[in-house]
């Protein structure tokens, strides 16, 4: 080794000794109400879901109806149970939720978003798993507004020469 290489190595060792130890992240505290429930709001398109979760047998109630009755399509029921499957908490929480606005697909997305957020409030250590899966990101896509002089947002009126 040359003199400059040994001096560089010595400088790096000195720098490593000087850097302070990285403090660990503070433990996040669970956010629960007096009844032991976690609350979160989920949104997708024009739908808004208010979600409460508490330990239970896996019952999902949406607007005072069972999930199978409210979301008749299996795809939508699968969508709202995804956060529990990813977090390995299937049939461990009861979900009570109220949804308004939008259509069924947007409402299912809003419920999934709300369940994911409520799970992170109930068990903060699940945040990393749910974030990587993309369940904590609010889908920003919304319907584009209609413009004047147009049939819809971008579609123009039919052209006729005569």
């Amino acid at each position: 080794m040359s003199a400059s290489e040994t001096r560089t190595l010595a400088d790096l060792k000195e720098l490593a000794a000087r850097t302070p130890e990285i403090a660990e992240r503070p433990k996040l505290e669970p956010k629960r109400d007096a009844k032991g429930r976690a609350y979160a709001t989920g949104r997708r398109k024009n739908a808004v879901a208010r979600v409460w979760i508490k330990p239970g047998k896996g019952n999902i109630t949406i607007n005072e109806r069972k999930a199978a009755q409210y979301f008749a399509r299996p795809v939508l029921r699968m969508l709202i149970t995804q956060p529990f499957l990813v977090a390995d908490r299937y049939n461990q929480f009861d979900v009570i939720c109220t949804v308004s606005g939008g259509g069924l697909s947007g409402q299912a997305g809003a419920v999934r978003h709300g369940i994911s957020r409520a799970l992170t409030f109930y068990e903060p250590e699940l945040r990393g798993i749910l974030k990587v899966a993309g369940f904590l990101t609010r889908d920003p896509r919304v319907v584009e507004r209609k413009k004047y002089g147009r049939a819809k947002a971008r579609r123009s009126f039919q052209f006729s020469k005569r």
Side-chain angles (χ1 to χ4, degrees):
M1 274 202 266
S2 65
S4 66
E5 288 177 356
T6 55
R7 193 173 70 203
T8 305
L9 285 171
D11 290 345
L12 286 174
K13 288 178 184 173
E14 182 183 322
L15 182 65
R18 257 197 276 163
T19 55
E21 291 197 25
I22 298 169
E24 286 188 32
R25 277 182 157 176
K27 276 275 198 183
L28 293 172
E29 292 295 318
K31 295 178 186 173
R32 299 180 193 150
D33 62 7
K35 296 180 181 177
R37 302 175 303 183
Y39 168 79
T41 306
R43 293 185 180 88
R44 169 92 166 68
K45 293 186 177 180
N46 282 336
V48 179
R50 302 182 322 151
V51 179
W52 290 267
I53 65 167
K54 63 181 179 180
K57 296 179 181 177
N59 298 325
I60 299 176
T61 308
I62 302 161
N63 290 353
E64 297 180 1
R65 290 194 280 174
K66 293 196 180 297
Q69 187 183 4
Y70 194 83
F71 293 122
R73 284 188 271 165
V75 174
L76 300 179
R77 288 196 302 269
M78 178 201 69
L79 199 72
I80 62 175
T81 57
Q82 280 179 336
F84 295 120
L85 295 171
V86 168
D88 199 30
R89 299 288 187 275
Y90 191 64
N91 287 341
Q92 293 182 18
F93 288 97
D94 286 345
V95 178
I96 299 155
C97 116
T98 58
V99 178
S100 62
L104 284 178
S105 178
Q107 288 184 352
V111 170
R112 181 179 81 164
H113 186 228
I115 288 172
S116 303
R117 290 184 63 192
L119 271 174
T120 60
F121 292 146
Y122 197 87
E123 293 183 51
E125 58 271 7
L126 294 177
R127 182 172 171 80
I129 299 165
L130 294 169
K131 189 153 178 72
V132 168
F135 297 152
L136 296 178
T137 306
R138 195 257 195 239
D139 192 350
R141 297 175 295 172
V142 291
V143 177
E144 191 174 348
R145 77 170 190 88
K146 183 198 176 301
K147 280 80 170 185
Y148 61 89
R150 296 270 170 180
K152 293 175 27 176
R154 297 188 181 200
R155 188 194 187 295
S156 51
F157 295 111
Q158 183 174 344
F159 173 76
S160 174
K161 195 166 186 179
R162 291 185 186 92

